[in-house]
Amino acid sequence: MPAVWQRHPRYFLLVALVLTATFFLLGPYQSPPSTDSYAAYIRDSTLPARIERAEGVYQKTITDRKGLIQKYGPTSRDIAMFPSDKDPWPAYTVWSFFPPSFNCPHELERVGALGDGGKWACGLSRLEHKPDCIIYTFGMNYETSFEAEILERTRHCQVWGYDYRSSSFGSHIKNNYRSHFFSWGLANIDSHEGKPKLYTLKTLLEMNKHDHIDVLKIDIEGWEFDTLTQIIQPYLLSGEPLPFGQLILELHTWDKKFNEFLPWWEMLEQAGLRPFMNEVNLVYQNYNRGKDTDLAEYSFINIKGNNIFVSDPHDAVMDSDVI
């Protein structure tokens, strides 16, 4: 007996076409757009893709920095932090070499008060419902509008504040069970006898039984250079990622030379820290007219490891823009 397809070839062809179309429409695979298509070049809709694109931009900044040093140097020893106003006057300051060119992959916003006290943060929405959210903040000196907004906008964040110049958080925070204050200082050594009591970040993490910090905020009046060196070097040696996802830092470059500042900054970069926002402290400058603009706020995201700002939680919705 002849096969069905031989007796009714048109019928068989129709069935084959229907099945093929069904598998194509319902199947998970879709062919990539043509390389001639504009859509083929838009590939930053996911969080990893946005991080990768931002890192590409930042690597260009590092290359451009070397070119700027060569132009005005030609070595880092020849670069002035703030050049004198005399011919030939080079058009730069130290901050020109370190622009915050890494793009925040989430929303960028100023948290806390406008003017003094507020800080630029990336992706605060990712902390709103995070169950193990931890914030460490050093050197508030009673200006705690940033910390207060964090507590107000999140459900679970615990804020740990340290400042040997203060006896409590500022008036923005009152009787919040998620806030913890100590009149201690952050330093590159442990010195618990006498006053002020100084602690390394490693010691505080061990005391508090924490293995991560979501946002680390530091304003310690020039001690940030030695302190961050002490924090970061062990992680560089071990190859482990830093234990914090975001660093908000005020830099005080008093009496710093460029060839001292540059390797310290490069250490931050080597550890995975990328600046996404900066703000020269013009309030300080207004009270110190005629002096150098040697204070600046910088906000960094840590691109190494799997912190919440660069990695979606395991139970996240696949579309990272929803998080």
Side-chain angles (χ1 to χ4, degrees), residues 9-225:
R10 294 182 179 177
Y11 171 77
F12 176 79
L13 182 60
L14 177 62
V15 171
L17 288 173
V18 170
L19 290 175
T20 301
T22 300
F23 284 127
F24 178 80
L25 293 174
L26 297 181
Y29 174 78
Q30 293 185 8
S31 60
S34 166
T35 53
D36 294 330
S37 167
Y38 171 67
Y41 298 97
I42 306 301
R43 286 288 179 269
D44 57 1
S45 59
T46 66
L47 179 55
R50 292 197 297 273
I51 296 291
E52 181 180 3
R53 186 177 291 262
E55 178 64 3
V57 171
Y58 193 74
Q59 288 302 317
K60 179 181 180 298
T61 296
I62 293 177
T63 300
D64 291 346
R65 179 197 305 152
K66 294 176 182 177
L68 196 62
I69 292 172
Q70 178 69 29
K71 176 180 179 180
Y72 289 117
T75 72
S76 62
R77 292 188 300 274
D78 304 309
I79 302 295
M81 297 288 276
F82 301 95
S84 301
D85 185 10
K86 60 182 181 181
D87 291 330
W89 185 75
Y92 74 82
T93 72
V94 60
W95 310 121
S96 304
F97 294 84
F98 308 100
S101 60
F102 191 90
N103 187 54
C104 164
H106 313 291
E107 76 282 358
L108 173 65
E109 61 179 313
R110 187 178 175 85
V111 179
L114 294 177
D116 191 46
K119 308 293 180 181
W120 287 99
C122 172
L124 182 58
S125 61
R126 296 178 73 84
L127 301 180
E128 289 176 355
H129 303 282
K130 188 173 186 287
D132 60 344
C133 173
I134 300 293
I135 312 294
Y136 274 41
T137 177
F138 296 92
M140 301 83 66
N141 198 22
Y142 296 109
E143 203 335 300
T144 50
S145 60
F146 172 85
E147 292 77 8
E149 186 168 339
I150 293 282
L151 289 168
E152 179 183 353
R153 292 177 53 183
T154 62
R155 294 176 58 192
H156 307 291
C157 284
Q158 301 278 335
V159 175
W160 296 74
Y162 299 88
D163 192 338
Y164 67 84
R165 301 167 299 177
S166 310
S167 59
S168 67
F169 283 112
S171 59
H172 306 92
I173 300 175
K174 297 178 181 178
N175 302 322
N176 191 305
Y177 72 95
R178 290 189 282 122
S179 63
H180 317 272
F181 181 85
F182 299 88
S183 294
W184 304 339
L186 177 67
N188 62 327
I189 58 170
D190 284 305
S191 178
H192 308 160
E193 303 298 328
K195 292 185 178 181
K197 293 182 182 295
L198 303 176
Y199 290 79
T200 64
L201 184 65
K202 180 178 183 292
T203 297
L204 293 175
L205 286 168
E206 291 172 349
M207 290 174 59
N208 298 331
K209 296 181 170 57
H210 294 151
D211 59 9
H212 82 282
I213 301 169
D214 290 294
V215 178
L216 172 61
K217 174 174 162 283
I218 297 177
D219 181 1
I220 52 176
E221 306 303 318
W223 293 102
E224 62 271 8
F225 296 102

